[in-house]
Amino acid sequence: MQVLEPVLERHRGKTFYVTEKLDGTSFTAFLRQEQFGICSRNLWMDETDESNVLVRVARGMKLEEKLRQARDRLGFDLAVQAEVIGPGIQKNKYALPAATLRVFNVLNVDAFRLLDHGAMLEVLGDLGLESVPQLGTVVLNHTVDELVVFSEGMSVLNPRVQREGVVLRPLVEEHDEDIGGRLSFKAINPKFLLKYDE
């Protein structure tokens, strides 16, 4: 976000929802034409590899079963994108007793379209999955420096540690040509960067 001042100016006055940016490992689970898959940021995982934390989390949360049930209800295949957090992941900053996930995107795979915010939260409720921490909404009327200050604060998941930052997205999915895709801003908390030397 710190490098997108012209984009911020163009979208000034719009309402964005705000979430906490979690420091975990990237995770996607999807159902596509009857095939279930689990991916990291760049790799498709072997769904039978119990040594992989992403596979263990997906199995423990019965994601394949949940995505199939959701497909039957909604009439389209789904993918969920999330951060996996907990022991053994990024030093477990959130002090969790077991690995789990928090979802930040739900994709209609058939239409290849991300669900709008309200629809995403509704689907997550039906799936019995938790979203990344929701921090409310804000009308975009800030300078870059003001948004950096806005990013500062303690984590909802562990109020003893600085949050990594915040993510701002419109309530209805939108694209921006200058960004080259989805309208979305991340503001990184400088106190987090200093604390964890990142």
Side-chain angles (χ1 to χ4, degrees):
M1 188 263 331
Q2 284 92 325
V3 297
L4 296 175
E5 195 149 1
V7 179
L8 291 179
E9 190 59 40
R10 187 162 58 255
H11 295 287
R12 188 169 297 278
K14 289 183 180 175
T15 299
F16 288 75
Y17 71 94
V18 183
T19 59
E20 180 178 339
K21 185 176 187 318
L22 296 181
D23 189 28
T25 191
S26 183
F27 171 94
T28 301
F30 68 88
L31 191 65
R32 182 172 184 267
Q33 297 174 356
E34 294 301 324
Q35 183 173 25
F36 174 72
I38 302 165
C39 301
S40 66
R41 182 176 304 282
N42 298 311
L43 298 172
W44 190 334
M45 303 286 108
D46 174 356
E47 292 86 25
T48 65
D49 181 6
E50 286 287 338
S51 69
N52 185 307
V53 66
L54 303 184
V55 172
R56 290 197 307 272
V57 167
R59 284 197 172 182
M61 300 182 85
K62 300 182 178 177
L63 286 183
E64 180 175 3
E65 179 183 326
K66 289 179 178 181
L67 290 180
R68 290 188 186 282
Q69 290 172 349
R71 187 263 324 274
D72 293 344
R73 285 195 309 273
L74 298 169
F76 54 84
D77 285 339
L78 292 168
V80 293
Q81 293 179 296
E83 289 288 321
V84 172
I85 51 177
I89 301 166
Q90 305 290 12
K91 302 177 184 173
N92 193 16
K93 294 178 180 76
Y94 308 108
L96 299 174
T100 189
L101 59 80
R102 293 296 187 98
V103 178
F104 56 84
N105 284 331
V106 176
L107 179 76
N108 175 334
V109 172
D110 296 354
F112 202 71
R113 186 181 189 285
L114 290 163
L115 300 189
D116 294 333
H117 184 244
M120 177 187 75
L121 293 179
E122 188 175 322
V123 167
L124 291 181
D126 289 344
L127 291 171
L129 299 176
E130 292 187 81
S131 72
V132 293
Q134 303 287 308
L135 305 178
T137 60
V138 64
V139 174
L140 189 64
N141 190 22
H142 305 73
T143 65
V144 169
D145 289 343
E146 288 169 339
L147 283 173
V148 171
V149 171
F150 180 70
S151 76
E152 295 176 3
M154 307 310 278
S155 172
V156 170
L157 300 183
N158 180 358
R160 295 184 301 279
V161 299
Q162 292 285 331
R163 64 181 174 222
E164 185 180 5
V166 294
V167 180
L168 287 77
R169 292 179 171 144
L171 293 165
V172 175
E173 285 296 316
E174 188 176 336
H175 286 265
D176 184 283
E177 290 306 315
D178 286 353
I179 295 175
R182 180 187 202 189
L183 179 56
S184 176
F185 308 115
K186 295 175 185 175
I188 303 300
N189 177 0
K191 293 179 180 177
F192 176 91
L193 296 177
L194 288 171
K195 166 84 175 164
Y196 295 106
D197 195 25
E198 296 186 14

